[in-house]
């Protein structure tokens, strides 16, 4: 599940490595439709499931149903910018990778990548 184009490009650029590891990116799930051109370019299907503040549970139920239907082994969340519910995390326990700038505690707040580059 991704939200930003940069995060998606970094992950899709790794497609050859994913294949060498015996994996396959079968779907990109996003809460925005801004990724359609990139997904088309890399020939990876995109499913957009909007996440509204008062409808998060319904959106997450759609995500879970989609992921279950695809029979995937691993969920990679890349800059998704949404808090996953305990039920979602429990369902995919041990099979979620979260790639998110929150792992840069020295650069809290907006634009952490830019903050990290400024000091050199």
């Amino acid at each position: 599940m991704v939200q930003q184009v940069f995060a998606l490009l970094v992950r899709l650029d790794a497609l050859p490595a994913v294949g060498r590891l015996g994996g396959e990116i079968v779907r990109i799930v996003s809460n925005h439709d801004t990724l359609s051109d990139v997904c088309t370019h890399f020939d990876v299907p995109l499913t957009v499931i909007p996440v509204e503040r008062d409808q998060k549970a319904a959106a997450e139920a759609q995500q879970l149903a989609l992921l279950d239907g695809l029979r995937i082994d691993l969920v990679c969340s890349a800059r998704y910018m949404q808090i996953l519910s305990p039920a979602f995390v429990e369902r995919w326990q041990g099979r979620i990778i979260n790639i998110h700038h929150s792992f840069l505690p020295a650069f809290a707040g907006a634009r952490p990548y830019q903050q990290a580059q400024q000091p050199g």
Side-chain angles (χ1 to χ4, degrees):
M1 296 186 296
V2 296
Q3 188 168 28
Q4 300 292 329
V5 173
F6 174 76
L8 177 65
L9 289 173
V10 170
R11 294 336 161 260
L12 290 179
D13 189 47
L15 279 173
V18 171
R20 285 193 301 274
L21 294 172
E24 175 186 4
I25 297 175
V26 297
R27 181 78 48 135
I28 302 293
V29 180
S30 179
N31 55 334
H32 297 284
D33 64 359
T34 57
L35 303 172
S36 60
D37 290 342
V38 175
C39 289
T40 299
H41 175 77
F42 285 100
D43 197 30
V44 176
L46 169 69
T47 298
V48 177
I49 300 175
V51 179
E52 303 296 332
R53 185 176 301 223
D54 60 341
Q55 297 293 318
K56 284 183 132 182
E60 196 169 273
Q62 284 183 274
Q63 294 165 350
L64 286 170
L66 175 67
L67 297 173
D68 285 340
L70 292 170
R71 299 176 48 135
I72 62 167
D73 298 315
L74 181 70
V75 173
C76 178
S77 174
R79 291 187 60 162
Y80 180 54
M81 307 301 283
Q82 300 289 327
I83 297 173
L84 298 173
S85 73
F88 188 101
V89 174
E90 183 178 317
R91 168 64 183 88
W92 294 97
Q93 186 173 4
R95 300 183 296 150
I96 299 175
I97 297 173
N98 183 21
I99 302 168
H100 190 277
H101 64 265
S102 66
F103 292 123
L104 301 174
F107 307 102
R111 302 173 55 93
Y113 297 108
Q114 290 79 3
Q115 290 179 48
Q117 290 175 345
Q118 288 171 352

